[in-house]
Amino acid sequence: MSVSDLDPVPAVALLARPGAARERLREALAHADVQIVLEDNPMTLEPQALHDARPQFVVIALEAAIEDALERLEPALSAPGLTLVFDEAELAARRDGWEAQRWGRHLAAKLHGHQQVLPPGAEDEPALQLEPGLPSTPPVPKETALQPHLEQARSWADDVPADGLYSPPAHLHEPVALEQALAALQPVLPETAAPVQAAPEPPPVPAAAPSVFTDHTAWSLVDEASDAPAVASAATSTESAEPAFDTGHLSLVDLDAAAPAASRSGALLVLAGIGGPDALRRLLAALPSGLAVPVLVHMRLDGGRYGNLVKQMARVSPLPVQLAEAGQRATAGEVHVLADDIGVHAAADGLYFQSEAQGISIAALSAEHSALVLLSGADLAHVGPALDLAAAGAWVAGQVGEGCYDPAAATAVVAAGMVAGEPQELAQVIAARWGLDDDGDAA
């Protein structure tokens, strides 16, 4: 029985410009057992037409040319009960063969709300399970079958040799209980035994001598007679030379500068990849409007169009979103999108971005004041450094759930004992730990 036999067929709208990406997405939806209620170019589509189609899901091929069109369709796309699925148009156009089939299975699982992402014929075989309970009772032998053996045993009983090496004394008999056996082994004491002399009573303890401290009214910490004049003269001099409180040199303390350097180098680092835009969108949308640490986002994109990612995330994030640049300081309460060649280094006054060929280095973060979230598509090479940062005191979490298309790295950190949850659930934990209230204080 297929999934469609259990659940109604989902209604899906496909928004993509004509081209190879649209063809690939149409093929994936055709194999996903869904109903395509609308297929159109978002640049010419009217919001009312999308609303009238009443889709449950909208699959969008993201590219720079449709950004303005998505803003125009925002009222229809933000309708309650509507789920958006984003895919990079360039990736969709190049996806072929095994990779296209794999992505199609994950897309079908998301649209139908299940976890069946294995190819046909690769389902897990049901394992044989032992059933609890007592074993079956063996059959009771019939008495008639045992009777010949009992008669034979009685006939041979007289011929069995007895043990002649030991004969118990006549006054003893075999005890029937352990207590009786132990009592039989004890020697019998004579009746005229001498009474045991009572131990001499210890001499009475003499009464304690009266303490010399019984009269506490005579206690004194200082010799009042000798020190009283000195105290009086000191008090007189203090009253005569009382200093004035100078308010002309007061200044506010720079709390950020007074904080330890390790706390100022903390950050929330989010790592993502395939399937990451949707997971990142849900994570950022659930964050509060104020955080005590900066949010660093690193998600590999083919073509390096990180400016488009900034615009897309800025529409849903309550925090400001901007593209990180070398030499810029990471600001608490802001989202910084990192390109592939941007890393960070810790300075005395916080984190600064720098040009780095290898990209972001997890080890550059302060473990005690940092958090790390691995979303769908995160690189497996980040698992080891992430667990090292967690061992040093960092908060590390991994995405789970049906929206995680590439769960390899996230599942690895979860299997190591880290926090697991949907992006919205992880955002709630982050808000509880690093969120700021209306007065700007930590939650």
Side-chain angles (χ1 to χ4, degrees), residues 21-41:
R22 184 166 168 176
E23 298 293 333
R24 295 289 188 275
L25 292 175
R26 186 191 304 114
E27 294 174 1
L29 293 175
H31 291 88
D33 194 14
V34 300
Q35 179 184 4
I36 302 179
V37 297
L38 177 66
E39 179 181 343
D40 207 338
N41 185 350

Side-chain angles (χ1 to χ4, degrees), residues 107-360:
L107 178 60
K110 182 175 184 62
L111 297 178
H112 288 279
H114 60 76
Q115 301 291 333
Q116 300 175 10
V117 296
L118 295 177
E123 294 82 2
D124 296 333
E125 292 292 338
L128 296 178
Q129 299 292 336
L130 297 178
E131 296 183 359
L134 297 175
S136 58
T137 306
V140 179
K142 297 182 179 180
E143 186 176 357
T144 55
L146 295 177
Q147 191 62 30
H149 302 283
L150 294 176
E151 295 177 356
Q152 186 181 19
R154 280 195 293 268
S155 63
W156 289 351
D158 297 336
D159 299 334
V160 176
D163 189 356
L165 298 179
Y166 171 76
S167 58
H171 65 280
L172 295 179
H173 60 83
E174 184 179 359
V176 296
L178 178 61
E179 293 80 1
Q180 296 178 0
L182 295 176
L185 297 177
Q186 298 296 328
V188 180
L189 297 177
E191 297 181 356
T192 59
V196 180
Q197 294 183 356
E201 296 182 0
V205 180
S211 175
V212 296
F213 299 102
T214 54
D215 186 9
H216 62 273
T217 59
W219 292 1
S220 174
L221 296 178
V222 295
D223 189 358
E224 298 178 358
S226 60
D227 294 345
V231 173
S233 60
T236 304
S237 61
T238 302
E239 294 176 357
S240 60
E242 183 178 358
F245 187 71
D246 185 9
T247 61
H249 297 83
L250 294 180
S251 62
L252 296 176
V253 177
D254 187 357
L255 296 179
D256 186 57
S263 64
R264 296 193 298 274
S265 59
L268 166 62
L269 176 59
V270 182
L271 303 174
I274 298 177
D278 182 52
L280 179 61
R281 175 178 174 272
R282 288 189 286 159
L283 176 71
L284 296 182
L287 290 179
S289 58
L291 282 180
V293 293
V295 181
L296 312 182
V297 175
H298 177 63
M299 182 172 63
R300 293 191 178 274
L301 296 177
D302 291 342
R305 295 191 302 272
Y306 292 98
N308 298 339
L309 181 63
V310 170
K311 294 179 181 179
Q312 294 294 332
M313 296 303 130
R315 296 191 181 100
V316 298
S317 173
L319 300 174
V321 184
Q322 58 180 310
L323 188 63
E325 299 180 359
Q328 177 188 9
R329 179 186 175 186
T331 305
E334 295 186 4
V335 180
H336 302 272
V337 177
L338 308 180
D340 294 339
D341 57 349
I342 293 294
V344 295
H345 73 279
D349 56 345
L351 282 176
Y352 281 84
F353 302 114
Q354 64 180 4
S355 297
E356 188 70 37
Q358 303 299 328
I360 182 67

Side-chain angles (χ1 to χ4, degrees), residues 283 286-288 395 422-434:
L283 176 71
L287 290 179
W395 182 85
E422 293 275 0
Q424 300 93 322
E425 298 172 346
L426 300 180
Q428 294 176 1
V429 180
I430 293 169
R433 293 172 62 97
W434 291 280

